[in-house]
Amino acid sequence: MESKKKTILPLSPVPLYTQIKEILRTRILDGTYKAHEQMPSESELTRSFDVSRITVRQALGHLQKEGLIFKIHGKGTYVSQPKAFQNLGKLQGFGEAMASMGYETFSQVVSFKVIPADKIVAKKLQLTENDMVSEIRRVRYLNRAPISLDVSYLPRTIGERLIKEDLAHRDIFLILENDYGYSLGQAELQIEAMLADESLGRLIQLEEGAPVLRIERLTFTTENQPLDFEYLYYRGDAFQYRLRVERGRI
Amino acid sequence: MESKKKTILPLSPVPLYTQIKEILRTRILDGTYKAHEQMPSESELTRSFDVSRITVRQALGHLQKEGLIFKIHGKGTYVSQPKAFQNLGKLQGFGEAMASMGYETFSQVVSFKVIPADKIVAKKLQLTENDMVSEIRRVRYLNRAPISLDVSYLPRTIGERLIKEDLAHRDIFLILENDYGYSLGQAELQIEAMLADESLGRLIQLEEGAPVLRIERLTFTTENQPLDFEYLYYRGDAFQYRLRVERGRI
DNA sequence: TATTACATCTTGTCATAACAAGTAAGCATA
DNA sequence: TATGCTTACTTGTTATGACAAGATGTAATA
């Protein structure tokens, strides 16, 4: 009855529910709790971790939001079928996403300009037309083959700072977060199909008229300030954009 | 001190936090609380709604998840900058999504077959190869112009039931949920760009070689059973697939 | 036998309470 | 003046307790 299962540290700076969440996540991933099996009930977890039910429910709630478990009212909590890409659907930079799948990537900066914002860019970044913005064009390589052209628009000063960084090997997202202290929240994407023109084809080694995936991405801070507006042109044959969406409650 | 602000019904079947959430959502949308303004603090809301702080936090938590508000530890809760498409990124059927934007849509069933599952379909729906599945091909129209070809694979019996429904005007998603009682959870999407071939071009009135957005969508129930596997071929020029993603905590 | 009622699991909702921790402004001190 | 402390706000975390409501098996009843 008194056997504490793991090292829960009530005085740790990391909240109890986070610690419990991580322990449960580990147990799910290592097979202690298997797919479609019932997890211990909330009251069992309350006893075994020696915390309150609120704390257990907070941990389970986060795991549910991440898709690792699901609950059925009156029955119990169950482990979800594992998915090939468990954590997609979240906002990731290209390098981040590829690195997590074990691919080797790097980028080549093909141009950097400080230019007046056109109508579209100004609107997206909530600036006035002709305000100066930084435009960074990069070609992304996956396993040494060119795969996309990224055109990023950022507020002038941020871009001028970014261009001095190691953009060949580091994601803009990670630099903005880790080095500059921005907290990235949501992004809006628009996706469409188009044909490569001559200049795009030259950059990512496609023939004119080859299919291209064109993604518009506007990234916001957690305070909902637009920070980064990008056009991503992906080779249609070489890449598949994967994500997960949830059905909203009606 | 005793002025109850709105009609909160403690005995209603709809939870208090949901009622409060809807009231706050209304106030945000009608401008009572404006973008980037601070909302009333949790303790103020606790007093004005005469509920506990847990209930207020539950309501605010949901609004935060929906992106309407954001919180700053130690400072307060703020209204987010409103977005053009507030609730996207959730799983919606085509008609559902278009109807919510005020477009007129209908579908035309071009074929219905019961066929043995090929390798890919069997794997996606977690069946054995050559198990019989239903294949439904539909052309979607937006404002009377063809915009996409949807090829849906479902377990045989579900498809045979669906084909008797009014698929011209009702989404498969909504029928599965409202009429058949399935609870839809997450979906996996893969998106790529390709060129229309002759038969696809004929169906959605494109010339051979025109750019097409090809989406693979596998939809799961909340119990993570795969239910519906679809290929969606969108005209690249006529439609933009919009969504919102969140940055996951690291 | 078939149905109903009950007991007992489960998760869902809500109240009250306390303390931690981040923010910011004002005040006292060096 | 500049620095640091106090205080009063905010949201974040956690405990304890209670009842509602859905699911399910068992026992009592028709």
Side-chain angles (χ1 to χ4, degrees), chain A residues 109-156:
Chain A
V109 176
V110 293
S111 78
F112 170 73
K113 298 176 193 163
V114 175
I115 55 173
D118 64 22
K119 262 209 180 82
I120 295 174
V121 171
K123 179 147 192 276
K124 296 285 183 182
L125 292 180
Q126 292 177 19
L127 301 172
T128 307
E129 204 177 336
N130 294 323
D131 278 353
M132 300 306 278
V133 293
S134 297
E135 182 203 81
I136 302 175
R137 289 176 183 260
R138 291 169 298 163
V139 174
R140 304 292 206 128
Y141 293 81
L142 179 63
N143 293 334
R144 296 192 176 72
I147 192 174
S148 76
L149 169 68
D150 294 13
V151 184
S152 308
Y153 295 93
L154 299 118
R156 173 178 187 166

Side-chain angles (χ1 to χ4, degrees), chain A residues 6 42 62 152 164:
Chain A
K6 283 267 178 161
E42 292 176 358
H62 280 102
S152 308
K164 296 172 192 147

Side-chain angles (χ1 to χ4, degrees), chain B residues 10-123:
Chain B
L11 302 176
S12 157
V14 37
L16 283 177
Y17 74 86
T18 304
Q19 298 179 49
I20 292 173
K21 184 182 70 176
E22 292 311 321
I23 291 173
L24 294 178
R25 188 208 308 286
T26 303
R27 291 187 189 168
I28 290 170
L29 296 182
D30 74 11
T32 307
Y33 305 141
K34 296 187 184 60
H36 281 264
E37 269 183 18
Q38 189 164 4
M39 307 243 319
S41 73
E42 293 177 357
S43 58
E44 278 180 73
L45 294 172
T46 294
R47 279 193 300 276
S48 74
F49 286 117
D50 195 27
V51 297
S52 79
R53 192 171 156 223
I54 278 189
T55 306
V56 167
R57 281 179 64 81
Q58 247 181 114
L60 292 178
H62 280 104
L63 290 175
Q64 182 177 27
K65 215 177 94 182
E66 292 177 32
L68 267 79
I69 61 174
F70 62 95
K71 298 175 168 191
I72 301 180
H73 188 178
K75 289 191 69 177
T77 304
Y78 299 83
V79 179
S80 297
Q81 187 74 24
K83 290 293 155 336
F85 47 106
Q86 195 63 258
N87 276 322
L88 268 287
K90 73 181 185 188
L91 182 53
Q92 278 187 318
F94 172 82
E96 243 184 301
M98 291 302 107
S100 72
M101 297 189 212
Y103 292 108
E104 173 200 342
T105 75
F106 74 97
S107 306
Q108 182 186 11
V109 177
V110 293
S111 78
F112 170 72
K113 298 177 193 163
V114 175
I115 54 174
D118 65 22
K119 261 207 181 85
I120 295 174
V121 171
K123 179 145 190 280

Side-chain angles (χ1 to χ4, degrees), chain A residues 36 64 68 96 99 133 149 174 185 190 220 247:
Chain A
H36 281 264
Q64 182 177 29
L68 267 79
E96 243 183 302
V133 293
L149 169 68
L174 289 178
Q190 280 189 54
F220 296 84
R247 181 133 181 100

Side-chain angles (χ1 to χ4, degrees), chain A residues 36 54 65-67 70 72 80-81 83-85 89-93 96 126 173-174 177 184-195 209-214 216 220 222-225 236-237 239-250, chain B residues 36 54 65-67 70 72 80-81 83-85 89-93 96 126 173-174 177-178 184-195 209-214 220 222-225 236-237 239-250:
Chain A
H36 281 264
I54 277 189
K65 216 177 92 181
E66 291 177 31
F70 61 96
I72 301 180
S80 296
Q81 187 74 26
K83 291 293 153 345
F85 46 105
K90 74 181 183 188
L91 183 54
Q92 277 187 317
E96 243 183 302
Q126 292 177 19
F173 275 13
L174 289 178
E177 274 199 323
L184 302 182
Q186 295 180 317
E188 292 177 4
L189 300 184
Q190 280 189 54
I191 303 175
E192 60 186 322
M194 54 171 277
L195 301 180
V212 171
L213 206 57
R214 179 179 181 274
E216 245 181 72
F220 296 84
T222 47
E223 284 80 36
N224 276 290
Q225 277 297 333
D237 61 335
F239 190 65
Q240 293 179 332
Y241 204 86
R242 286 178 145 198
L243 51 101
R244 255 181 130 167
V245 295
E246 267 176 55
R247 181 133 181 100
R249 51 268 153 254
I250 301 186
Chain B
H36 281 264
I54 278 189
K65 215 177 94 182
E66 292 177 32
F70 62 95
I72 301 180
S80 297
Q81 187 74 24
K83 290 293 155 336
F85 47 106
K90 73 181 185 188
L91 182 53
Q92 278 187 318
E96 243 184 301
Q126 291 176 20
F173 276 12
L174 288 178
E177 275 199 322
N178 298 336
L184 301 183
Q186 294 180 317
E188 291 178 4
L189 300 184
Q190 281 189 52
I191 302 175
E192 60 188 321
M194 53 172 277
L195 301 180
V212 171
L213 205 57
R214 179 180 182 273
F220 296 84
T222 47
E223 284 80 36
N224 275 289
Q225 278 297 333
D237 61 335
F239 189 63
Q240 294 180 332
Y241 204 86
R242 285 176 147 201
L243 52 101
R244 252 180 131 166
V245 296
E246 267 176 54
R247 180 136 183 98
R249 51 266 152 252
I250 302 186

